[in-house]
Amino acid sequence: MVSTPVAIISPFEQNYWDRFGEGFIASIEALTVKPQEVILVTRARVDVPSWWKVVPYWDDRIWPCVNVGVREASAEWCTHLPVDDTMDPNFFDGLVLQGDAVNVRGRWNGGLCYGTPDQYHNLLNMGNNGMPGLAVIRRKTWLKIPYRSHKYVDWVHWCEMRSHNVEASFDSRCVWTWVRHDDALTAQPDRQAEQDVVEFCQLLKSGRVIPGEDWPPKLAE
């Protein structure tokens, strides 16, 4: 089996698995280049390929579950793939793992989702998520800068990585699908959550934010 040094991390509850699990398995198993690991963080009842790993843990905030998966991984790189999203069979074909975080272009019902070097450079001043797309991140970087429990976790995570000058690279192939549905966590706009991230960016620019899982973040005196 041809593989790449990436762990796919996916947390979910039973209802999401019942709805999307079959398609998720089909998506991963159809990959022409397989990830080194698939790590499911869940207490749900699942029937998955024997080489997948199930970590029996759950936190209703969801995002700490991804951090648990990253800690359990042995691969050099990790990506958080929600169980309701799918990868194209060629996702890992030609994926260049360089820098410390790779932004991979995808599609959704509003068009394409991806970041650009300019948007990453200006991310702390943008007021919106300039880095949509799937993130493939070095495990050692993720351990230093873990997910925080916020509605817009990927936006927050990219902002914090930017504040630490994490080197980002960009894959322009459109090779995955962001499946949108009305009961998804971020389906409805949330002005307060958006303002939270804007204020977080100001704190990041002050240099007072202590890396960690806390939300609100802990600050240096």
Side-chain angles (χ1 to χ4, degrees):
M1 181 176 71
V2 179
S3 65
T4 188
V6 178
I8 292 176
I9 314 288
S10 186
F12 52 82
E13 292 185 281
Q14 189 71 56
N15 65 328
Y16 257 52
W17 183 255
D18 292 343
R19 293 168 63 188
F20 303 108
E22 184 176 351
F24 184 82
I25 293 174
S27 167
I28 304 302
E29 289 297 294
L31 291 168
T32 53
V33 175
K34 297 293 192 291
Q36 180 178 323
E37 301 170 288
V38 179
I39 299 176
L40 309 181
V41 185
T42 185
R43 295 192 184 277
R45 300 178 303 279
V46 299
D47 181 11
V48 296
S50 60
W51 63 280
W52 294 24
K53 181 177 183 178
V54 180
V55 179
Y57 175 86
W58 188 251
D59 185 310
D60 285 337
R61 294 172 297 170
I62 302 175
W63 313 126
C65 300
V66 180
N67 293 333
V68 167
V70 172
R71 290 194 292 269
E72 290 281 337
S74 59
E76 183 181 359
W77 295 77
C78 295
T79 186
H80 166 215
L81 179 69
V83 74
D84 49 340
D85 294 338
T86 59
M87 289 176 164
D88 294 0
N90 66 332
F91 184 91
F92 290 114
D93 297 42
L95 175 63
V96 178
L97 297 171
Q98 63 183 11
D100 293 298
V102 185
N103 178 276
V104 183
R105 184 181 301 236
R107 66 186 72 82
W108 69 305
N109 57 9
L112 299 179
C113 51
Y114 60 95
T116 67
D118 283 347
Q119 287 169 190
Y120 183 56
H121 179 74
N122 295 311
L123 193 58
L124 299 183
N125 299 307
M126 287 188 65
N128 62 280
N129 184 6
M131 292 292 287
L134 201 64
V136 183
I137 301 168
R138 284 192 191 273
R139 179 174 178 269
K140 66 180 183 180
T141 299
W142 209 317
L143 292 173
K144 291 177 182 177
I145 308 171
Y147 264 0
R148 296 183 185 271
S149 292
H150 186 272
K151 179 174 182 176
Y152 298 126
V153 64
D154 56 337
W155 182 9
V156 166
H157 201 218
W158 274 113
C159 287
E160 191 157 9
M161 288 194 292
R162 175 66 187 88
S163 76
H164 288 274
N165 296 312
V166 167
E167 183 183 354
S169 61
F170 299 82
D171 189 326
S172 61
R173 302 169 309 136
C174 185
V175 289
W176 67 281
T177 302
W178 179 16
V179 179
R180 301 294 283 157
H181 44 95
D182 289 344
D183 56 340
L185 181 63
T186 58
Q188 304 303 321
D190 187 330
R191 295 292 179 84
Q192 182 57 57
E194 293 172 9
Q195 184 61 32
D196 287 346
V197 185
V198 171
E199 293 173 2
F200 180 60
C201 288
Q202 296 305 311
L203 291 173
L204 289 171
K205 288 191 286 185
S206 77
R208 297 177 57 210
V209 175
I210 299 173
E213 298 187 30
D214 309 277
W215 189 271
K218 290 183 179 178
L219 304 177
E221 298 296 334

